[in-house]
Amino acid sequence: MKIIHISAECYPIAKVGGLADVVGALPKYQNEIGANSAVIMPFYNTKFTQSHKFTLVYQANLILGNQELNFDILKIEDAVLEFDVFFVHVEDLLYTESVYTDNDTNRFLAFQIAALDWILTLKKKPDYIHCHDHHTGLIPFMAQESYKYESLNKIPVITTIHNAQYQGWMSYDNLYKIPEFNIENVGLLMWDGMINPLAAAIKCAWRVTTVSPSYMEELKYSANGLESLLSHESSKAVGILNGIDSAVWNPETDKFIIKNYKKTTVESGKKANKEWLCSQFNLDKSKPLFAFIGRLVGEKGAELLPHALDYALRSKDIAVIVLGSGAKETEKELFDLILKHKGNYNAFIGYDEKLSHIIYAGADFLLMPSRVEPCGLNQMYSLRYGTVPIVRRIGGLKDTVVDIGDHGFGICHNEVSEQDIVVAINRGKEFYTQQKEFKANRKYIMSIDHSWEVSAKAYINLYNSIN
């Protein structure tokens, strides 16, 4: 079974959000169970591409409207990943330091056309093409409708929606850039008066998946305008919960953390990591340590954190660390709390991969008060490291965390509000005082299996169900 994943992101090559983590792990685990899975992605100017050598696999020109652009297909020379990655290189368009820019309509149109142009030339065509998010949303349409790709229209195309809030909208003026098709079928591209790549993918893909079962259900009533379309196409849609790369996220072998540990040594391991964090960030190690890791944006409920944390910290019996970046006002408010709650609170504005691992290893609780969370990986990382997740019941958080009040192992709340966050923190604080139960819970959550093995098999079963 030959599978080609097409994506704008792939960890560790280029990462903005959880999309990269999924595309960086799913092919690896599919290969482990006998598939031949590879990735096609843009060639960006990143640390990864600067530090590796590449072989030229294919070279040609693509037509983007009235432009003719040269493109290369490159492949990494050394086997640094456990699956093949092929890169679409367009010098003046895709080769950017940022994954996303203000010219993404042309950039990702060119990327998708080049990917399909190259697939056309392959002697051994893929059995399945798996597209990820709106950046590849026109591929299901082009493979089905564009005359140029007629020989590909028997290959099943699967689309995975990682976040339906972003749909790749573009004006009708861009229609001429899409390889020629029967204009009578233009309605497949359109939604609400615009070309909508994600809507086109939902209409044209053979199967549509999302990254958790609950998120699939939520999209039928909250999908940024696509609710009725997803309800209409529900017969071909399924939610498959993401996994985590248990080789990368493993406290027993993690090279980033201060002291490695497993279930039997979790107390000493977490203590060492917590002590390092508290020393580096001037926090009281005797208090329960609450953490937030992520983008400081509305989807994550981040703008509520400054006031909620300010209120919760008044009791002076907790410690809090924040790692993230995003909305400048939220960044400033979180930074301003450092002086106000000196010794009990600190923040790192930005992103640091090593620090994120140490926080998962050293924190007692992880806060995720999300408005939207299609799957969520942070709560799975925290479980793996024995850190209790505090989550809002939404999307994948609802599927992966059960409240301690329901004989579960985490702390859940229903609404996105400052009050809910404070109440949840207070519940965590109370749970922390019950050290016998708290320590037993740590060992239990480390044993929960959210590895990609289960999810990879679910995708293989989905592919097989198409034929």
Side-chain angles (χ1 to χ4, degrees):
M1 179 186 291
K2 183 177 180 180
I3 307 149
I4 288 183
H5 293 268
I6 308 181
S7 173
E9 299 180 36
C10 178
Y11 180 83
I13 301 159
K15 172 181 166 67
V16 174
L19 167 63
D21 295 302
V22 174
V23 180
L26 178 55
K28 166 183 170 182
Y29 285 91
Q30 287 180 330
N31 288 347
E32 286 186 0
I33 55 176
N36 176 10
S37 192
V39 170
I40 302 175
M41 67 175 294
F43 190 78
Y44 305 113
N45 182 13
T46 66
K47 289 182 180 178
F48 185 96
T49 56
Q50 291 169 5
S51 59
H52 290 84
K53 294 182 178 180
F54 299 85
T55 300
L56 178 64
V57 174
Y58 180 76
Q59 190 172 52
N61 294 330
L62 66 89
I63 304 300
L64 183 67
N66 53 19
Q67 288 183 283
E68 186 171 346
L69 302 170
N70 176 262
F71 76 92
D72 300 331
I73 301 294
L74 307 174
K75 184 181 178 183
I76 307 171
E77 281 189 4
D78 46 345
V80 292
L81 302 174
E82 296 176 61
F83 53 92
D84 287 335
V85 182
F86 298 94
F87 296 84
V88 176
H89 179 40
V90 182
E91 181 71 40
D92 297 324
L93 208 56
L94 294 177
Y95 192 64
T96 55
E97 293 180 3
S98 299
V99 173
Y100 306 116
T101 74
D102 58 3
N103 188 30
D104 285 350
T105 292
N106 285 329
R107 294 175 70 240
F108 291 118
L109 257 173
F111 165 58
Q112 293 172 88
I113 291 168
L116 284 180
D117 282 359
W118 178 55
I119 291 172
L120 268 182
T121 70
L122 299 176
K123 290 182 180 178
K124 171 63 172 147
K125 300 287 192 295
D127 297 301
Y128 303 92
I129 296 173
H130 193 148
C131 300
H132 295 267
D133 263 353
H134 72 82
H135 324 98
T136 60
L138 294 177
I139 285 177
F141 172 84
M142 292 190 295
Q144 174 182 299
E145 300 293 335
S146 291
Y147 302 131
K148 184 178 185 180
Y149 306 121
E150 186 176 357
S151 63
L152 302 180
N153 66 19
K154 297 292 192 295
I155 300 174
V157 182
I158 297 89
T159 284
T160 294
I161 303 170
H162 296 261
N163 191 336
Q165 296 302 303
Y166 306 103
Q167 299 171 14
W169 308 272
M170 61 182 76
S171 70
Y172 192 80
D173 297 343
N174 290 285
L175 189 65
Y176 76 102
K177 298 175 185 176
I178 298 172
E180 187 180 1
F181 61 93
N182 185 344
I183 197 64
E184 292 181 4
N185 296 329
V186 70
L188 292 170
L189 289 170
M190 307 303 293
W191 193 259
D192 199 21
M194 298 187 75
I195 297 173
N196 185 318
L198 188 61
I202 294 166
K203 294 174 189 178
C204 298
W206 294 41
R207 292 290 188 276
V208 177
T209 76
T210 61
V211 290
S212 73
S214 287
Y215 186 56
M216 179 58 81
E217 290 306 308
E218 289 164 10
L219 286 177
K220 294 174 185 177
Y221 59 83
S222 180
N224 203 6
L226 298 180
E227 297 84 0
S228 61
L229 176 59
L230 282 156
S231 294
H232 183 264
E233 300 287 356
S234 61
S235 62
K236 66 177 182 183
V238 63
I240 297 176
L241 189 68
N242 280 344
I244 61 172
D245 192 329
S246 53
V248 173
W249 296 95
N250 183 356
E252 195 170 355
T253 58
D254 192 334
K255 294 178 181 178
F256 285 135
I257 66 178
I258 304 306
K259 181 178 180 179
N260 295 111
Y261 59 92
K262 52 188 177 180
K263 274 197 302 183
T264 55
T265 58
V266 60
E267 293 306 319
S268 62
K270 288 193 72 69
K271 180 182 177 183
N273 285 281
K274 183 176 181 178
E275 286 180 348
W276 184 91
L277 280 172
C278 291
S279 172
Q280 292 292 312
F281 290 93
N282 187 30
L283 299 171
D284 188 337
K285 66 183 181 182
S286 69
K287 297 171 182 175
L289 179 58
F290 294 78
F292 175 90
I293 302 172
R295 292 181 295 127
L296 302 176
V297 294
E299 284 182 18
K300 304 297 183 182
E303 84 285 357
L304 302 174
L305 286 175
H307 289 165
L309 294 178
D310 185 27
Y311 188 88
L313 285 160
R314 292 177 190 175
S315 62
K316 299 187 183 299
D317 54 3
I318 64 170
V320 179
I321 185 167
V322 171
L323 168 62
S325 63
K328 296 305 176 186
E329 184 177 350
T330 304
E331 289 182 357
K332 182 180 184 304
E333 289 179 340
L334 288 168
F335 189 78
D336 289 346
L337 288 180
I338 297 173
L339 280 177
K340 187 173 183 180
H341 297 286
K342 194 173 182 180
N344 291 316
Y345 169 86
N346 215 324
F348 184 103
I349 304 301
Y351 185 72
D352 185 297
E353 185 74 15
K354 176 181 173 71
L355 179 58
S356 74
H357 283 244
I358 299 173
I359 292 175
Y360 285 119
D364 298 301
F365 299 92
L366 182 79
L367 298 167
M368 295 185 70
S370 303
R371 281 190 176 82
V372 179
E373 199 65 72
C375 176
L377 297 174
N378 290 15
Q379 81 279 13
M380 298 186 200
Y381 300 151
S382 74
L383 292 169
R384 181 86 163 132
Y385 285 70
T387 297
V388 178
I390 299 179
V391 306
R392 185 202 168 200
R393 289 185 178 97
I394 192 75
L397 301 180
K398 183 179 177 182
D399 291 332
T400 53
V401 181
V402 181
D403 191 89
I404 54 174
D406 298 322
H407 308 290
F409 46 84
I411 294 173
C412 305
H413 55 95
N414 291 324
E415 304 300 328
V416 185
S417 70
E418 293 172 13
Q419 181 180 0
D420 277 69
I421 295 170
V422 172
V423 169
I425 289 173
N426 287 335
R427 289 187 65 207
K429 190 166 59 175
E430 174 62 25
F431 187 33
Y432 187 79
T433 65
Q434 303 165 26
Q435 278 292 296
K436 183 178 179 181
E437 292 81 1
F438 185 78
K439 289 179 179 178
N441 190 66
R442 267 184 173 165
K443 290 183 178 180
Y444 172 74
I445 63 179
M446 288 183 70
S447 67
I448 297 173
D449 183 8
H450 284 303
S451 64
W452 264 110
E453 282 92 342
V454 175
S455 303
K457 288 176 184 175
Y459 276 108
I460 296 296
N461 291 338
L462 175 72
Y463 304 149
N464 286 329
S465 74
I466 296 173
N467 296 329

